[in-house]
Amino acid sequence: MTRTGISPRRGALGVGLMFASNGAVFAALLPWYPLLSDRLDLGPAEFGFIVASFAVGGIVSSAAPAPLITRFGPVRIAFCATVLLAASVASAPWGGAGWLLAASLFLVGLFDAIVDVAQNVAGIRVEDSSGRPILSSMHALWSLGGVAGGTASTAAAASGADVRLYLACAAAVAVFLVGSGALLLRDLPGAPALAGAAGHRSSTGWKVVALAALPLVVIAISGTMVEDVANNWAALSAVQLAGMAPNAAGVAFIVIVGSQCVGRFTGDALIHRFGRAVIGRIGGALIAIGGLLVVSTNDAIWQLLVGLALAGFGSATIIPSALAAAGKLPGVSEGAGVTLVSWLMRIGFLFTSPLIGSIAAATELRVGLAILMPIGVAAIVLSSALAPRGRRPR
């Protein structure tokens, strides 16, 4: 037993189930995007702005996670928000207009942001109690859940399954998983993780914290932009750049998320050996190279998939490393640091898809996806911010 009241193994399993359920429930929707886009007759620019409503929901929820977790603890909040998230995902295919799909995605983003902070706070506390890095592995389980959800959804779409029934079943599975994780973490205290998160800093103090967090925010945005490409554009790129059939295009999403999953499972060991900064620089280089392969694809499915795989693998540790560093920002608690970076990084989700969609509408999709290359360069330049800053004051 540790100061958290549970064993490190049980704690890691409980948090891992939360991450896996979160990855699975959102990924269950993504392979259906080409079908939903066709049904609603959406152009690339319109589609880009609709899926950006996910980010708007996440940004609107910015003030919610910290007080909720302080009051109820991260485990209860992760469970309750996942139930609402799953219901929002299940509602997505029921609307007959683009604004209804946007409304569903807004709610998905709203509740997903709350789950994200809650499960990361729980993960950081389990990580601290065990004395070794586990957060990349927790995010790997998120990716594994995404692979499982995306694979099942791709198979269901290819078989002609009813999207409404399928997403309702996927939502039920996600609730079962997060409930199982919550039971394992029932003895994990929540409020101390956010102690000092509000009300005790001068404006000058918060300015210092914000400046220290800025490079972490930019690095995290680099990761969210790769994830946004995976979520919203991988399947469409397979159709438009490589000529895949729409009902099989989910394979591209599976490849990029699957490679990210592999990178996250190996990430903790690599970080322990070489440090977060070095691994971040290598990841940025792989994202840039992968982007080059993607934009130069000309009906070559293998080249597109290799490029997406490199981008996914390269982005694997970027977000977990940025959040882990945020949890160690001097002068603030884990919850305050994670909330700050987690909220600001969602700006990447807000503008990535509208930017790609607008560029694609004016030119073509491959030009829009060229954004992967500067993303990789930004990660290379700023990864020094991921290096340890020393122990955070208790």
Side-chain angles (χ1 to χ4, degrees):
M1 304 290 285
T2 69
R3 66 179 176 87
T4 63
I6 59 176
S7 69
R9 180 175 296 180
R10 181 176 140 201
L13 179 59
V15 176
L17 285 172
M18 287 185 169
F19 273 88
S21 69
N22 184 246
V25 70
F26 185 45
L29 173 63
L30 304 180
W32 298 96
Y33 274 175
L35 175 65
L36 296 177
S37 181
D38 286 344
R39 283 186 179 180
L40 298 175
D41 194 26
L42 302 176
E46 187 178 8
F47 175 78
F49 279 97
I50 285 174
V51 296
S53 60
F54 168 83
V56 176
I59 292 172
V60 167
S61 74
S62 61
L68 288 174
I69 296 172
T70 299
R71 176 66 178 85
F72 300 105
V75 176
R76 290 181 181 177
I77 294 305
F79 173 76
C80 294
T82 298
V83 173
L84 296 171
L85 167 63
S88 301
V89 167
S91 73
W94 288 86
W99 72 267
L100 291 172
L101 176 59
S104 293
L105 293 179
F106 172 86
L107 293 175
V108 170
L110 181 77
F111 298 122
D112 180 70
I114 298 173
V115 174
D116 184 47
V117 173
Q119 66 189 11
N120 273 289
V121 168
I124 288 172
R125 292 187 62 78
V126 172
E127 182 177 79
D128 284 348
S129 72
S130 65
R132 60 188 178 86
I134 66 165
L135 209 58
S136 286
S137 295
M138 297 300 99
H139 283 256
L141 290 171
W142 181 90
S143 298
L144 185 62
V147 171
T151 300
S153 292
T154 299
S159 68
D162 182 84
V163 59
R164 297 176 179 178
L165 176 61
Y166 175 82
L167 288 180
C169 293
V173 171
V175 171
F176 172 77
L177 287 175
V178 78
S180 300
L183 286 175
L184 291 171
L185 294 169
R186 61 186 178 274
D187 299 322
L188 181 70
L194 295 202
H200 299 292
R201 297 283 161 192
S202 67
S203 60
T204 300
W206 277 113
K207 288 178 182 177
V208 172
V209 172
L211 287 174
L214 183 58
L216 299 178
V217 171
V218 176
I219 292 170
I221 287 175
S222 297
T224 63
M225 292 176 79
V226 175
E227 289 190 359
D228 195 83
V229 169
N231 295 344
N232 302 325
W233 300 100
L236 288 174
S237 70
V239 174
Q240 296 186 23
L241 304 184
M244 293 185 70
N247 61 358
V251 170
F253 168 76
I254 295 169
V255 166
I256 190 169
V257 176
S259 63
Q260 184 186 67
C261 180
V262 172
R264 285 177 169 170
F265 273 122
T266 59
D268 283 328
L270 292 172
I271 288 170
H272 185 70
R273 174 67 179 84
F274 300 104
R276 297 189 190 277
V278 172
I279 300 304
R281 292 187 192 100
I282 294 172
L286 292 176
I287 292 170
I289 295 170
L292 179 61
L293 289 175
V294 168
V295 300
S296 60
T297 297
N298 187 17
D299 292 329
I301 294 176
W302 69 267
Q303 182 177 334
L304 176 74
L305 297 182
V306 169
L308 292 175
L310 288 176
F313 189 86
S315 70
T317 66
I318 289 179
I319 292 177
S321 290
L323 293 176
K328 307 298 182 185
L329 285 172
V332 294
S333 69
E334 297 102 321
V338 172
T339 298
L340 176 65
V341 173
S342 178
W343 173 57
L344 291 175
M345 78 178 187
R346 290 177 181 273
I347 294 173
F349 287 124
L350 178 63
F351 68 76
T352 301
S353 279
L355 177 61
I356 292 175
S358 297
I359 294 173
T363 55
E364 58 177 325
L365 182 56
R366 75 176 70 248
V367 180
L369 293 177
I371 195 173
L372 287 168
M373 290 182 282
I375 288 171
V377 173
I380 295 171
V381 172
L382 295 173
S383 284
S384 58
L386 301 175
R389 297 172 179 266
R391 295 183 63 83
R392 180 178 55 83
R394 292 282 179 181

